[in-house]
Amino acid sequence: MGTDISGFLEYRAPQDDQEPPWRTAHDLGSLYGGRDYDAFGCLFGVRNYANFRPLAACRGLPADTSATVSARFAQLTEWYGEDGFHGTTWITWAEVKAVDWDERAEKPDSRIHEYRQTSNGLRMTGKASWSPAFAEAVGLQRGEDREWPEGSEWLIGETVYRSVTLRRRDAVIETGEWQSVWDAMKTLAAQHGDDNVRLVVWFDD
């Protein structure tokens, strides 16, 4: 069973005399329709197989969230109970802007990366938590959790298996599926300020 992300972009318009309310700008589903676990782990600590230090994990639902998000969250809780979704958190545009996308994960990816030789050099063909061919070759038992030093490499048949440490930009590709989300947040921030735009998300399996 896979894990999916849902959420909303919110903004608040600064006011001189009172604390402005948060308002809903976009349903995340209109901007992002992917299921990228490397991005989920890097940003929010969910399905963090690549072992990143999450940018914004387990913050919960903001107490001052917009009426639309509050209503949606209440509806989901009524339908599925509090165990029906998880990983609720949020991140501001100011935090996204400050990210060092060259920052490396805290340790190598827990999935071994697989490559095949082509006329243009090695081509990545996948990565998996469990590969029967690799496990047999290195004596790995099913369910055994073993860490491999970065750069460790094995040639098994025609496949090269390698231990790799990802950078944030490998997980959240600059021109990838998250670009439309960042563009929308950037546009809102130009009008309202970087700290006055945020993404609120939660996950379901």
Side-chain angles (χ1 to χ4, degrees):
M1 182 179 295
T3 297
D4 294 305
I5 189 172
S6 301
F8 290 88
L9 266 61
E10 297 184 318
Y11 72 94
R12 59 185 176 187
Q15 300 175 8
D16 294 333
D17 57 343
Q18 59 183 348
E19 183 72 15
W22 286 90
R23 304 178 186 277
T24 302
H26 299 283
D27 185 325
L28 179 60
S30 68
L31 301 169
Y32 177 84
R35 181 191 277 178
D36 189 333
Y37 293 161
D38 286 340
F40 292 175
C42 171
L43 297 171
F44 308 116
V46 172
R47 296 274 188 170
N48 193 12
Y49 302 120
N51 298 307
F52 285 104
R53 175 186 61 81
L55 296 175
C58 301
R59 292 177 170 178
L61 186 70
D64 56 356
T65 192
S66 63
T68 298
V69 176
S70 292
R72 180 59 173 163
F73 213 76
Q75 184 181 54
L76 291 172
T77 301
E78 181 180 355
W79 286 352
Y80 305 114
E82 294 185 357
D83 295 332
F85 47 93
H86 60 91
T88 305
T89 193
W90 55 271
I91 190 170
T92 67
W93 177 242
E95 291 175 301
V96 174
K97 278 185 65 175
V99 173
D100 175 5
W101 294 106
D102 287 318
E103 182 182 354
R104 291 155 57 87
E106 295 183 307
K107 57 184 180 179
D109 196 333
S110 58
R111 301 155 300 181
I112 293 293
H113 293 216
E114 302 176 11
Y115 303 82
R116 287 293 182 98
Q117 189 65 251
T118 71
S119 58
N120 295 319
L122 285 178
R123 179 177 65 86
M124 185 174 177
T125 57
K127 50 189 172 184
S129 299
W130 180 260
S131 165
F134 175 76
E136 181 178 0
V138 300
L140 191 65
Q141 301 298 313
R142 181 169 287 279
E144 181 182 354
D145 186 17
R146 193 184 305 180
E147 293 184 10
W148 308 101
E150 180 185 6
S152 298
E153 187 173 288
W154 304 260
L155 176 61
I156 303 170
E158 298 181 352
T159 301
V160 173
Y161 295 85
R162 183 182 295 164
S163 177
V164 176
T165 301
L166 298 183
R167 299 172 301 165
R168 293 197 186 278
R169 69 173 63 257
D170 299 322
V172 186
I173 300 171
E174 184 176 2
T175 57
E177 294 177 311
W178 283 88
Q179 182 177 9
S180 59
V181 180
W182 304 150
D183 287 347
M185 295 182 77
K186 182 179 180 180
T187 298
L188 288 167
Q191 181 177 359
H192 303 294
D194 295 346
D195 289 313
N196 294 317
V197 177
R198 70 187 177 193
L199 172 62
V200 180
V201 300
W202 55 89
F203 299 83
D204 64 88
D205 297 329

